Amino acid sequence: MDEIQPSLESEDVRSRLPQAIGDWQEILADKWVSTAEADIDKWGQATYPTNAVPLAVIWPATADEVASCLKVAARHRVPLYTVSTGRNWGLGSAVPPRPGCVLMVLTRMNRIVDFDEELAYVAVQPGVTQRQLSEFLASRGSRLQFGVTGSSPDSSIVGNVLERGDAEGVNGDRFENVCALEVVLSTGETIRTGFSRFPGALTKSLHRWGVGPWLDGIFTQSNLGVVTQLTLWLAPRPAGARTFSFAVDSDESLSRLIDALRRLRLSRVLDGGLVFANDVRAIAEQRQFPFDECDSGQALPSEVLSRLRHEHGVLRWNGGGVIYAADDAISEALWSRVEAELSGCADTLESATGDAIVEAAAVGTPVETHLRMAYWRLRKPIPDSPLHLDRDGCGLIWCCPVVPFVGAHVVAAAAIVREVCTDAGFETNIGLHLVAPRSIAMTVAIPFDRSVESESKRAAEASALMHKRFAETGYIPYRVPTSSMDVMHRASDDSLPILRRLKSALDPANVLSPGRYE
C-alpha cells in the first residue's frame, strides 16, 4: 500500500476536526455526530487487528445530508470513510484501510423507496438489510425472491452489491441484477445512472444501460462516490423446484465433479448458483474447535478431522443447489440431465422435491447458519442470536480468489490454501461459489481468536502469504480485506494512473474513503 499522504495523517486531521464537527452538528443535530469513546470503540473494531479506528462517527439520513456532509469534509480536508451497516466482516468491518478518517454510517437511510411485484424490482437505500427486505416481501405476500448471502441477516444489500458480492440461489451475481444508482460525489453533486437521470423515464428501473457511457461500475469497489440508492431486480419463486446435494471424498473426484457442473452451467441446465463447503467449513458451522483434545497452535490433526467428518455426516467436499423450473415436469426433466452428468463422479448424490421444497428453494430468508463458522476458534461459547462478530470477539480474515471453472484449477488453488494454512497452524476452510458459468469464486476463511495475540499474528501472516501466492499463480481475488488493498498495485497496465485521474476529477479534495481499492 502507498505511504499515507501527509494531509491524511491523523494528527494533521485532528487539528481541523473540531470545525468539521461543528458544521456536521448544524446539518445533522448533535446526537448524529459523535466523538464518544463508546461509539469509537463500537465502530472501530474489526475481525482482525487494525489501528485505523475512526476519529468520529456521523449518521446522515438523506441523500441531501450526505451531500452536505461531504462538502464539509472537502472544505475542512477531513477524510470520510463511508459504510452501510458496517458488517463487512472478515474484510474490514466498518474500519477504514487508513487512519485519520471520520466514519459516515448510512444505517438511518433504510427506506424501501419503490417496489413493483409485476416487474419484479425494488429500490432500496444503503441501510436496508437482508432481513428487512425479506420481511417486507413476506408482509406483502409477494411471490418474489432475492439471493441472500451467508453474512448477517442485518447486513446491507447495497453494501454487498458495491463489493460485488455473491449470493446463494437465483440472481447470485447481485451486481448483474441492479440498475438506477443514485450517487453523491464529495463535491455535493449527484449522479443518477442509466435512464434514471431522465425525468419521467418509464424504464429507469427496468434497463441497466441507459444511453451514453455506462458509469455504474466505477462506483463499485471504489472511493469515487457514495451510493445512496439503487434498484435491485428480484425473481419469481419457482412453481416447480428440486433441491439436490452431492459430496465427494477426494480431490480427484472433486475435479471431475467440477468439470461436470461446468458443462451443466454452460448449457443452462443449471441456472442458479451452487455452493460447496469443504469438510472444515461444514463442521465449523455445527460446532467449535475441540480445544479439550487438540493443540490450538496447530491445524486439526487428520485423525480428529476424520472422526468429526464421520460424526457430522460430511465428506471432504459437500455441495448442493436448486433446479428452478416453471413446473414439476420440467424440473424432473432437468434433474434427469443433472443426475446423468453427476452420478459418475459424485460419491453421494441426493434429490428432493415437493411443496415444502419449493418454498425452501425460494431463497430470500436470511439465516445466521454460515456465520457460526467464524466462532470456530473462539475460546468461549457461541452467544445467542443475533450474532455480531466484532462485538463477540471473533477473528476472521477472508481471501477470495477467482479461479477458472476447471476442476484442475480448483484442486490447485485448494492445495495453496492447504499448504499456507497448515504451516500457519490453521485448518483449511474453503467455500466454492459457482455463480458464473466460466469462473468460480473461492472463499477462504481464516477463523481465529483475536484475543490471542500470537493467533492474530499468525492469521495476518497467513492471509498476506495467501494473497501473494494466489497473485503469483494467476488467481486474483475478486474482493480483498482492507489490509490487502495493495493488490491493486499488481496490475501491469495503466489502470491505476487512470483511476487516480478519475479520483482527482470526482473527488478533488481527496477526502472520500482514502485507501479503498487504490
Side-chain angles (χ1 to χ4, degrees):
M1 189 178 296
D2 289 345
E3 290 297 318
I4 298 170
Q5 301 175 22
S7 63
L8 300 181
E9 291 283 5
S10 296
E11 291 306 316
D12 190 32
V13 171
R14 287 179 191 277
S15 66
R16 302 189 294 271
L17 185 61
Q19 291 177 299
I21 292 290
D23 289 351
W24 286 324
Q25 287 172 333
E26 289 185 11
I27 296 166
L28 303 179
D30 290 359
K31 71 175 183 177
W32 300 119
V33 180
S34 178
T35 56
E37 185 177 346
D39 287 324
I40 300 300
D41 287 346
K42 174 183 176 181
W43 292 97
Q45 295 186 57
T47 59
Y48 48 77
T50 175
N51 64 352
V53 295
L55 303 176
V57 187
I58 63 175
W59 293 267
T62 66
D64 286 343
E65 288 183 352
V66 168
S68 297
C69 289
L70 285 169
K71 286 191 283 188
V72 168
R75 183 164 63 248
H76 296 294
R77 293 171 56 241
V78 174
L80 275 179
Y81 189 77
T82 307
V83 298
S84 299
T85 62
R87 286 170 166 78
N88 196 23
W89 289 329
L91 294 159
S93 301
V95 181
R98 296 177 177 177
C101 294
V102 170
L103 197 66
M104 182 160 66
V105 180
L106 304 182
T107 50
R108 295 177 66 208
M109 299 186 66
N110 60 357
R111 290 178 55 230
I112 294 175
V113 179
D114 192 17
F115 171 69
D116 192 302
E117 177 81 19
E118 183 179 20
L119 292 170
Y121 69 80
V122 61
V124 297
Q125 293 182 326
V128 174
T129 66
Q130 298 193 112
R131 188 194 307 275
Q132 182 182 349
L133 180 55
S134 176
E135 291 175 351
F136 172 84
L137 294 174
S139 72
R140 296 291 187 101
S142 174
R143 296 299 298 173
L144 299 174
Q145 61 175 324
F146 66 102
V148 299
T149 72
S151 184
S152 168
D154 298 311
S155 61
S156 164
I157 292 170
V158 171
N160 180 258
V161 166
L162 298 182
E163 283 286 342
R164 299 200 290 268
D166 291 333
E168 295 183 16
V170 69
N171 292 358
D173 186 333
R174 279 181 160 176
F175 184 57
E176 274 196 349
N177 293 279
V178 298
C179 64
L181 274 62
E182 178 184 77
V183 187
V184 179
L185 306 183
S186 70
T187 58
E189 297 168 292
T190 298
I191 295 173
R192 294 181 178 88
T193 67
F195 286 136
S196 67
R197 68 184 188 272
F198 296 101
L202 298 178
T203 53
K204 67 178 184 180
S205 299
L206 313 176
H207 188 84
R208 295 192 79 193
W209 316 117
V211 59
W214 188 72
L215 300 177
D216 301 48
I218 67 172
F219 297 111
T220 67
Q221 291 191 3
S222 80
N223 56 5
L224 301 179
V226 178
V227 177
T228 52
Q229 183 178 311
L230 57 74
T231 294
L232 176 73
W233 292 338
L234 308 173
R237 295 188 181 186
R242 178 183 288 270
T243 64
F244 63 98
S245 61
F246 43 77
V248 294
D249 214 24
S250 69
D251 285 350
E252 293 76 15
S253 295
L254 173 66
S255 183
R256 292 194 300 272
L257 182 62
I258 291 292
D259 290 339
L261 289 168
R262 182 189 66 248
R263 293 189 289 270
L264 292 168
R265 289 290 279 119
L266 283 170
S267 64
R268 304 292 294 271
V269 172
L270 293 176
D271 211 18
L274 308 171
V275 180
F276 274 82
N278 79 329
D279 47 9
V280 171
R281 179 165 300 184
I283 293 166
E285 290 179 357
Q286 302 179 59
R287 59 158 298 157
Q288 290 174 280
F289 186 91
F291 292 106
D292 56 341
E293 57 179 308
C294 298
D295 178 2
S296 60
Q298 298 179 354
L300 205 63
S302 58
E303 62 273 14
V304 176
L305 181 55
S306 177
R307 192 195 78 228
L308 292 177
R309 279 198 297 266
H310 178 74
E311 289 178 1
H312 293 281
V314 300
L315 298 185
R316 284 181 169 83
W317 294 94
N318 312 269
V322 180
I323 295 173
Y324 298 95
D327 56 44
D328 291 338
I330 297 174
S331 173
E332 181 66 26
L334 290 173
W335 166 243
S336 296
R337 287 281 308 277
V338 172
E339 186 177 31
E341 191 75 59
L342 301 186
S343 59
C345 47
D347 293 324
T348 67
L349 181 62
E350 298 178 353
S351 173
T353 189
D355 291 341
I357 298 301
V358 171
E359 289 302 313
V363 182
T365 304
V367 295
E368 293 184 322
T369 305
H370 299 305
L371 284 180
R372 294 176 64 86
M373 71 169 177
Y375 295 77
W376 168 247
R377 279 178 168 257
L378 197 66
R379 289 164 174 79
K380 56 185 179 183
I382 300 176
D384 294 333
S385 179
L387 302 178
H388 194 293
L389 274 55
D390 293 327
R391 177 202 65 201
D392 298 338
C394 295
L396 179 66
I397 306 178
W398 287 106
C399 184
C400 306
V402 177
V403 303
F405 204 143
V406 175
H409 279 291
V410 172
V411 170
I416 293 173
V417 178
R418 189 177 301 116
E419 180 183 345
V420 172
C421 285
T422 301
D423 288 349
F426 295 108
E427 291 69 43
T428 304
N429 183 319
I430 299 176
L432 302 176
H433 303 261
L434 284 58
V435 173
R438 297 172 180 83
S439 62
I440 293 175
M442 175 180 283
T443 56
V444 180
I446 306 177
F448 60 98
D449 189 336
R450 73 173 190 261
S451 69
V452 181
E453 185 176 351
S454 61
E455 232 175 274
S456 295
K457 184 174 183 293
R458 286 190 288 117
E461 291 172 347
S463 171
L465 178 57
M466 201 178 303
H467 278 93
K468 179 176 182 292
R469 291 282 304 278
F470 278 133
E472 292 170 347
T473 315
Y475 304 137
I476 311 301
Y478 76 99
R479 57 193 294 194
V480 294
T482 53
S483 57
S484 301
M485 292 289 173
D486 60 348
V487 71
M488 298 291 289
H489 298 270
R490 297 181 184 274
S492 60
D493 66 350
D494 295 318
S495 56
L496 271 182
I498 292 171
L499 284 173
R500 288 175 181 138
R501 292 205 295 271
L502 279 172
K503 176 70 169 173
S504 179
L506 301 182
D507 180 19
N510 191 30
V511 293
L512 183 55
S513 300
R516 175 174 161 78
Y517 288 100
E518 65 175 17

